[in-house]
Amino acid sequence: MRRFAPLALSLAALAGTAAPAAAAPARAALSPAAAATEAAHQAAMDGYLYFYPLVTMDLTRRQFTHPSQGAQGAPSNAFLHVRTLPQPGAATPWANPDMLRSTGWVDLTAGPVVLSVPDTQGRLYALTLLDMWTDVFATLGKRTTGTAKGNTVIVPPGWTGTLPSGMARIDAPTAYVWAKALIQADGPADYPAVNTLQDGFTLTPLSQWNLPAQSQRVKSDPNLDLKVPVREQVESMPTDAFFTYAAELLRKHPPHANDQPVLAPLRRVGLIPGRTFDFDRLEHPAKQGMRRGLRAGRERMEAAAGGTLRGQNGWQQETASIGVYGSAYLRRALAAQAQPGSGLPEDLAVLLLAADSQGAPVGGAHRYVLRFESGQLPPAGALWSLAAYDGQGMPVTNMLNRYALGDRAPLRYNADGSLDLHVSHAPPPPEDQANWLPIPAAGPVTLLLRVYEPGPVLLDGLWMPPPLVRDAPPPLAEPEAAPVAEPVAEAMPAAPAKAATPAPAPAAKKP
């Protein structure tokens, strides 16, 4: 009977016949003013998390398409192509060492836009389309649509026109779309071929299809701050500015169908989809509650950052959803804060090494070995690579001009099929240099393992990389006349320092 008691209680609760429980102490009734403050506080806290990605995306779009950006941006419906792989002194933080990047903002306010892709002849690429809420709603590329040449029409919400025959159609949830493409590049000798393929990725308004190219009218945006990073702008906005901006964006970009539960409480403070929001017209208790709620939303994000990382063997992997978030608004806000525009883990999974096998940060004063046993290599359907970065996320000059090591390199495997990767600042013996990843001599070092088209064993959390094993230090040098001293074991720090973590959490995609 004891075994069936929990089931009986569950069924009784569902039937409404559960045994009565002790009554909880009654809460003191709130005054009307206090109740209004509390309701506004809760609505604003949830609303801040809900709107954070939307505000972030719009500022990102406006900065990227501003004419003053020059070669650092591009007008709407045009791609900006990064033509070379990262090099010291010419890279963005945590830059991808395997793929060249192309980025463009699609403007559907005047109608559909045709996305053209070239025939990459089997070369790996992934093109991700994100709506203004940072959700991935479509992907093109080798994994999903193949590598043949094609034209796809991206259609705005509510559009009912007719498309040219033979063109695929993708319905966008919002009037602006972020298009982000990665295409495999195998070093400088491969640049000409890849750059030609990049030029084949184009965006053409459907109204201009089969017409001569037309110059775009680029409008200046005098109210936009181009110097302050987007994250700093969003997180320094006062309550009235943030929610007024969010309400204006909500008029242009419809909420998702499952957003009603978070939008309903916001109606009580006058924030209604399709209408302007006037903070000044609120009563004082509501204003006070919204200010407190915005601060509480920021505190929730700060407290929850990194909370969904799984650690094993010194590695960290994101366990929460990436790219598609549903009603996980806190998770979506954190992803937008770390790196807006994350793609799907099915295309690229990234793991970060936070500590070596002794729990200490990785540094150039030591030699390390990363050993993959036979049959335990990264489960990549396409390719994998291990890249090294300094404390600022930048590649550092080394004698081999090598910033990543992966399965495309001429690696030397052991007789049993295992693989030893040597990670150090000082060169290993010549026979091991094919498997050597150089790291900086000083300062913290971060390693990122990128796995392209990862297998289910990684996506399901059943595989993690092995630990990075620190070699025993060599004996201390002694004067020539003195006898050789015994090796001195290195003392472990009392509290190992935490390795620097990049702005996207590792399972979140880095470009």
Side-chain angles (χ1 to χ4, degrees), residues 177 234 257 267 289 337 359 387 393 500:
V177 169
V234 175
R267 288 177 172 268
Q337 180 188 59

Side-chain angles (χ1 to χ4, degrees), residues 44-60:
M45 180 178 65
D46 294 339
Y48 180 77
L49 303 179
Y50 174 70
F51 286 122
Y52 186 100
L54 182 63
V55 174
T56 296
M57 287 285 276
D58 195 63
L59 285 173
T60 301

Side-chain angles (χ1 to χ4, degrees), residues 32-33 36-37 40 268-270 277-291:
T37 300
R268 301 175 189 173
V269 293
F277 175 67
D278 189 349
F279 183 83
D280 292 335
R281 296 184 61 182
L282 296 178
E283 298 291 336
H284 176 72
K287 289 180 179 179
Q288 187 180 39
M290 290 196 73
R291 292 190 181 101

